[in-house]
Amino acid sequence: MDLLTALHAPGPDRRDAVVVDGRAFSYEELLGAAGAVAARVAGAPAVAVHATPTARTVVAVVGALLAGVPVVPVPPDAGPAERGHILRDSGAALLLTGAGADHPAAGGEPEHLPVDPDERAGFRAVDASPDHPALILYTSGTTGAPKGVLIPRRAVAAGLDALAEAWAWNAEDTLVHGLPLFHVHGLVLGVLGALRTGSRLVHTGRPTPERYARAGGTVYFGVPTVWTRVVRDAAAARELGGARLLVSGSAPLPTPVFHELARLTGKPPVERYGMTETLITVSTRADGERRPGSVGLPVAGVATRLVGEDGSPVPYDGATVGELQVSGPTLFSGYLGRPEATAAATTADGWFRTGDMAVIGADGMHRIVGRASTDLIKSGGYRIGAGEVENALLDHPAVREAAVVGAPHPDLGQQIVAYVVTEGEVGERELIDFVAGHLSVHKRPRIVVFLPSLPRNAMGKPQKKLLPPV
């Protein structure tokens, strides 16, 4: 199954069709460099890639996919335990690295294979089965050792084609981003998406406002941390006004950032939702309404539903919280070597249990309010989504960051605790009253903790398990 259709499509081949941290390739040059990798990895059960934000990573991934070999991206900042687990668990036969050995070899690791973007070789792409894994992506491991998520080639194709339709994404676009190349957002959407739609790709290396402003794109990808920095640089933000789409994902975009980005660029951002196991399943559309806090409607081929704790349907009234479940062609084929975990994540009728809590309006618009494990707070008989309280706090002009959790309480069951990063003078009582004035009174925090910063991962998601106890 040919995933990267634009690489083989007839037509003019731009010399800078793919630019990664300043290194430019035409499609012909990328195919030649990737062909050299493919010839060396063909027949391997899987190959790992030390996934730095470099041209070498793009060449390595494309080469393995041409050879029909599953790719295992390894985060470049992974510690020894995580790195060792991924390499052992995935069964990778080779580790593709930089020519200068950008990471020292450790005992027990597979053979290191240097990748040189200047090397060229012809290679006839393998016609792999649509059900064959394209990628083995590892989860964050918040509930144990990271699990290998098997992403079949058909899921990648279906997901990218659905987004191309939702975003009117095509070969006339220039996609710009500076996201890590070991996640769905940066690698699947941000690299493979460009090589399937034919849009020019500019990876900026680091996702700074200045680099985004200079790139001259029509479509930009960013996480909330990136867009927060962009709106703080008004001059850079205004340079993005010529873009067609500004897409935010991987974590909820704070409402104030949504409004400021829209004000400075004239473009309300597109928000979307997905998981490693599902790819992107819900999105606002290029030609549709964009509301702050809303991730829009299911993409083509995907169905969603909300269920309560007893498995019964939840009304689509824009207020009642339920667990979001997903069905469709973008779903993973299972967790590598973990049939019990795969079965636990799937309902009897074949829907994937996302573990995310959401509300859906009568018009079908979806809003994610948090993870069932950490963001569903049960207080005084009420079910409260942490994300709703976080957005209310972020509406206060002094609050720059917010994370909300439920803490044990002898009377309420759980009490709402807010961790905030602020600028300027503001007190606990003022923030409690502010939320009570914006939302129902029972959704107000009982405790506010002031921090200099929130712990976050590489994609900008707050790491609530690392917050100090109250």
Side-chain angles (χ1 to χ4, degrees):
M1 181 181 187
D2 187 4
L3 286 179
L4 312 180
T5 49
L7 283 176
H8 309 286
D13 187 2
R14 294 169 291 203
R15 295 184 62 186
D16 58 351
V18 176
V19 182
V20 185
D21 199 20
R23 172 66 188 267
F25 293 88
S26 67
Y27 284 157
E28 182 181 6
E29 290 169 334
L30 178 56
L31 272 174
V37 171
R40 299 169 73 185
V41 305
V47 296
V49 175
H50 186 64
T52 55
T54 60
R56 190 263 313 148
T57 295
V58 173
V59 168
V61 170
V62 173
L65 292 177
L66 289 177
V69 175
V71 177
V72 184
V74 179
D77 60 350
E82 180 184 4
R83 177 182 169 96
H85 169 75
I86 291 173
L87 293 174
R88 288 190 303 273
D89 187 73
S90 66
L94 297 165
L95 175 60
L96 308 187
T97 67
D102 50 6
H103 196 291
E109 289 193 352
E111 177 189 351
H112 285 206
L113 179 64
V115 174
D116 182 358
D118 291 321
E119 190 177 1
R120 301 286 184 269
F123 186 86
R124 184 180 179 84
V126 171
D127 186 18
S129 165
D131 293 322
H132 192 66
L135 300 151
I136 306 173
L137 301 177
Y138 275 78
T139 63
S140 59
T142 55
T143 57
K147 298 188 289 289
V149 179
L150 294 164
I151 309 294
R153 296 171 79 94
R154 57 170 170 75
V156 175
L160 294 177
D161 290 348
L163 288 179
E165 189 272 333
W167 297 344
W169 182 11
N170 58 47
E172 301 301 314
D173 283 310
T174 293
L175 170 63
V176 176
H177 74 93
L179 301 174
L181 298 184
F182 50 89
H183 284 300
V184 168
H185 197 169
L187 179 59
V188 179
L189 274 63
V191 174
L192 306 187
L195 297 178
R196 188 166 179 86
T197 62
S199 67
R200 180 171 175 260
L201 169 63
V202 177
H203 190 287
T204 59
R206 294 176 55 235
T208 65
E210 297 82 3
R211 293 186 183 194
Y212 271 38
R214 290 198 303 266
T218 62
V219 177
Y220 286 80
F221 289 170
V223 297
T225 301
V226 170
W227 296 124
T228 298
R229 291 171 180 167
V230 166
V231 300
R232 290 179 182 172
D233 186 336
R238 291 189 182 98
E239 288 295 319
L240 305 187
R244 193 172 62 76
L245 291 179
L246 308 177
V247 181
S248 184
S250 298
L253 183 67
T255 298
V257 178
F258 180 103
H259 288 307
E260 189 66 0
L261 193 58
R263 184 185 71 83
L264 290 169
T265 65
K267 303 291 190 306
V270 165
E271 296 186 69
R272 85 299 182 284
Y273 165 81
M275 297 180 65
T276 304
E277 292 91 337
T278 68
L279 304 183
I280 306 306
T281 53
V282 182
S283 180
T284 49
R285 298 178 59 89
D287 59 356
E289 182 182 2
R290 305 173 204 172
R291 302 175 195 162
S294 172
V295 293
L297 304 168
V299 300
V302 170
T304 62
R305 68 186 184 189
L306 287 185
V307 300
E309 289 179 289
D310 61 357
S312 61
V314 168
Y316 290 4
D317 57 10
T320 305
V321 176
E323 184 198 12
L324 183 66
Q325 298 182 352
V326 175
S327 176
T330 67
L331 267 60
F332 74 140
S333 54
Y335 296 112
L336 178 65
R338 301 194 185 193
E340 297 87 358
T342 302
T346 310
T347 66
D349 55 350
W351 291 63
F352 177 72
R353 309 176 194 267
T354 68
D356 282 324
M357 309 308 294
V359 297
I360 301 178
D363 58 359
M365 295 288 273
H366 291 51
R367 182 162 53 87
I368 307 299
V369 298
R371 293 290 293 168
S373 58
T374 57
D375 296 325
L376 179 63
I377 302 169
K378 300 175 183 177
S379 182
Y382 294 101
R383 291 157 56 88
I384 302 156
E388 188 175 20
V389 184
E390 289 162 357
N391 270 331
L393 285 162
L394 289 165
D395 278 337
H396 191 286
V399 176
R400 291 291 171 262
E401 300 179 61
V404 168
V405 301
H409 188 274
D411 180 45
L412 298 171
Q414 287 183 304
Q415 63 179 338
I416 299 173
V417 179
Y419 295 82
V420 297
V421 178
T422 61
E423 291 181 1
E425 293 294 325
V426 63
E428 180 181 46
R429 174 48 55 186
E430 180 181 344
L431 292 179
I432 291 172
D433 292 344
F434 182 80
V435 173
H438 274 57
L439 304 175
S440 301
V441 173
H442 68 265
K443 296 179 180 179
R444 71 191 185 282
R446 302 291 177 135
I447 298 173
V448 178
V449 180
F450 295 86
L451 297 176
S453 63
L454 297 182
R456 295 181 181 273
N457 65 12
M459 296 302 288
K461 294 182 181 179
Q463 300 297 281
K464 295 188 177 182
K465 294 183 182 296
L466 301 181
L467 291 168
V470 296

